[in-house]
Amino acid sequence: MINRRRALYLLYFLLFVLLCAVIYDTYKKNQARLRYRLRTDTEPPWLPDDTCRDVERKIGIANIKTFNSDEIKAQIQYLQRCPWSVNVSTQTALRTELQACCNAGRYFLVTQENTRIGDNITYETRKDKHVEVTKKLHEIFPKTSPFLNKRIRSCAVVGSGGILLNSSCGSEIDQADYVFRFNLAPMNYSKDTGTRTNLVTANPSILRQRYAKLNEERRPFMNLVEIYESALIVMPAFSFIRNTDLSLKAFYTLEDFGSRQKVVYFHPNYLENLALFWKEKDLEVRRLSSGLMIVSAALEICNKVMLYGFWPFSEDPNGKPIPHHFYDDELPNISQHNMPDEFFFYSQMHSKGILKLKIGRCF
């Protein structure tokens, strides 16, 4: 009698396991059908899960010294057809590395908290030159970093690549909790690039080339920055000696006009440490692009990082020519930066679930 009861229990258990397997298999198939339905007829279909894993593994173990641009472009196209999710453990590991070397939360910007009156700020590119922090200079620095002891839920880092044109990514970008932009990019492409800005970089060369070093063209400059709401405008005042006066002049111009925006400055020590960090990862460049600077900071201070407009090639994934920027075709300074190599790392971080790299349309 006992053996018969045990046999019956065993039979029930096996039937239960079989039922669970059938339910799980049905769930997986329904999820796959749902993913297909969520995509439009104009989109390529999702790739099978095993294909996605193979592509992710291939990029994840690749070496920057042996990977070429054509391979990067081909592989990232595949990854755009694979579901993406944050890999918390891998993301945390890289964040821990970045915090140990650079600590964006405290040192990304020059502040009154990390720089005292009487200190010397050494230039990032000239170790034999420095600026003494006077009381007047100290007063223009923010008291503390806006990112100190703070973690932002989701961040959109919006590059200026021509790949953004006709992307319809604007509404998706605007859903992020914090939006980074670059070089005072125009905001009249809202359908593709969004409307919100929390932080935007500004190269002093813009002030030289377009606004007469703010000697005569202050009002047009103010008209430009007004579109950025109350965003922080980040400038490399202490990277090159020639940048300092113009960067300070930008601060006082905004102050004189009672602007909602505020000029702040990259901390040169942060940028120097960040360059060493990526050099140890085998990124050989004369100087990091502002794109990689901001992405690196975002990886420290944001739980989820999404990249848009990062595509350093002259053709889109379908071979159609595109401008370098979504607003012009001015090429980067290749003597300073290596955008394709930086893009390799973005692709690799996407494959590992560290950040999401969006290429093409946002449907």
Side-chain angles (χ1 to χ4, degrees):
M1 183 71 178
I2 294 177
N3 289 338
R4 188 177 302 172
R5 183 178 298 171
R6 287 179 178 173
L8 189 59
Y9 285 158
L10 179 60
L11 178 60
Y12 286 155
F13 176 75
L14 292 174
L15 288 173
F16 175 76
V17 171
L18 180 61
L19 180 61
C20 289
V22 170
I23 292 173
Y24 180 74
D25 183 63
T26 303
Y27 168 79
K28 295 291 287 185
K29 289 178 179 178
N30 286 338
Q31 286 295 103
R33 292 191 191 101
L34 178 61
R35 293 206 304 265
Y36 276 100
R37 286 200 300 271
L38 288 175
R39 299 176 75 87
T40 67
D41 292 338
T42 59
E43 289 182 275
W46 288 102
L47 293 175
D49 290 344
D50 56 347
T51 302
C52 290
R53 286 193 293 269
D54 287 345
V55 176
E56 289 167 356
R57 183 187 58 80
K58 183 175 182 180
I59 295 183
I61 64 174
N63 188 301
I64 183 62
K65 294 182 178 180
T66 58
F67 225 61
N68 62 49
S69 294
D70 289 337
E71 287 178 306
I72 294 173
K73 288 190 285 187
Q75 297 301 326
I76 198 61
Q77 282 181 258
Y78 280 124
L79 286 186
Q80 296 298 301
R81 296 168 56 191
C82 296
W84 182 91
S85 61
V86 173
N87 185 319
V88 176
S89 61
T90 308
Q91 184 191 62
T92 300
L94 181 61
R95 179 183 294 135
T96 301
E97 285 187 66
L98 283 165
Q99 288 174 338
C101 91
C102 310
N103 194 350
R106 185 176 296 275
Y107 294 110
F108 177 57
L109 303 176
V110 180
T111 67
Q112 293 179 11
E113 184 265 339
N114 63 36
T115 306
R116 298 171 299 178
I117 297 173
D119 283 353
N120 288 323
I121 300 179
T122 302
Y123 282 96
E124 176 199 351
T125 59
R126 286 288 303 270
K127 298 307 170 191
D128 59 330
K129 299 292 182 180
H130 65 265
V131 175
E132 182 179 352
V133 180
T134 63
K135 184 176 185 296
K136 182 179 180 181
L137 181 59
H138 193 255
E139 287 174 348
I140 75 173
F141 301 150
K143 290 183 178 181
T144 60
S145 169
F147 310 115
L148 185 62
N149 300 323
K150 181 180 180 181
R151 184 64 56 76
I152 303 170
R153 184 178 60 178
S154 64
C155 296
V157 184
V158 186
S160 299
I163 196 71
L164 269 177
L165 282 174
N166 302 314
S167 66
S168 297
C169 286
S171 60
E172 186 174 307
I173 289 169
D174 283 341
Q175 291 174 22
D177 295 307
Y178 202 92
V179 180
F180 298 89
R181 298 186 189 274
F182 298 92
N183 263 347
L184 300 176
M187 297 291 292
N188 53 340
Y189 297 79
S190 59
K191 181 180 178 182
D192 296 328
T193 64
T195 60
R196 295 179 47 246
T197 307
N198 298 97
L199 181 150
V200 59
T201 68
N203 194 314
S205 63
I206 296 173
L207 307 186
R208 295 189 191 95
Q209 298 165 6
R210 304 180 194 172
Y211 301 101
K213 300 181 180 180
L214 295 180
N215 292 327
E216 304 165 3
E217 303 290 338
R218 299 174 81 213
R219 170 53 69 183
F221 174 67
M222 288 304 306
N223 292 340
L224 170 68
V225 300
E226 274 297 318
I227 63 176
Y228 297 107
E229 302 169 334
S230 56
L232 294 176
I233 299 176
V234 187
M235 302 187 71
F238 308 109
S239 292
F240 297 90
I241 295 173
R242 65 178 182 272
N243 288 350
T244 305
D245 288 343
L246 263 179
S247 298
L248 295 176
K249 193 178 290 186
F251 175 90
Y252 289 117
T253 297
L254 266 62
E255 187 178 65
D256 289 348
F257 279 85
S259 173
R260 294 178 296 165
Q261 300 78 27
K262 184 176 178 62
V263 172
V264 291
Y265 306 118
F266 284 112
H267 200 302
N269 291 354
Y270 172 80
L271 297 183
E272 181 183 6
N273 291 334
L274 189 65
L276 291 173
F277 174 87
W278 286 108
K279 186 175 182 179
E280 290 175 357
K281 303 288 185 184
D282 292 327
L283 178 60
E284 298 291 340
V285 292
R286 186 172 179 180
R287 194 160 190 270
L288 301 180
S289 72
S290 56
L292 187 52
M293 294 173 186
I294 295 295
V295 170
S296 300
L299 287 169
E300 280 197 58
I301 62 181
C302 308
N303 285 330
K304 182 179 180 182
V305 180
M306 299 163 289
L307 271 55
Y308 302 85
F310 283 78
W311 181 259
F313 309 110
S314 58
E315 296 179 343
D316 70 12
N318 298 316
K320 180 182 177 182
I322 55 174
H324 182 69
H325 297 132
F326 66 82
Y327 53 88
D328 68 31
D329 200 21
E330 184 176 339
L331 298 178
N333 185 347
I334 59 174
S335 67
Q336 292 281 342
H337 309 307
N338 189 332
M339 303 298 192
D341 279 4
E342 290 185 0
F343 184 79
F344 165 82
F345 286 100
Y346 301 144
S347 302
Q348 193 167 68
M349 287 188 283
H350 177 105
S351 73
K352 294 179 177 180
I354 296 172
L355 56 74
K356 182 179 181 180
L357 175 62
K358 179 61 184 178
I359 303 298
R361 290 179 57 83
C362 296
F363 291 87

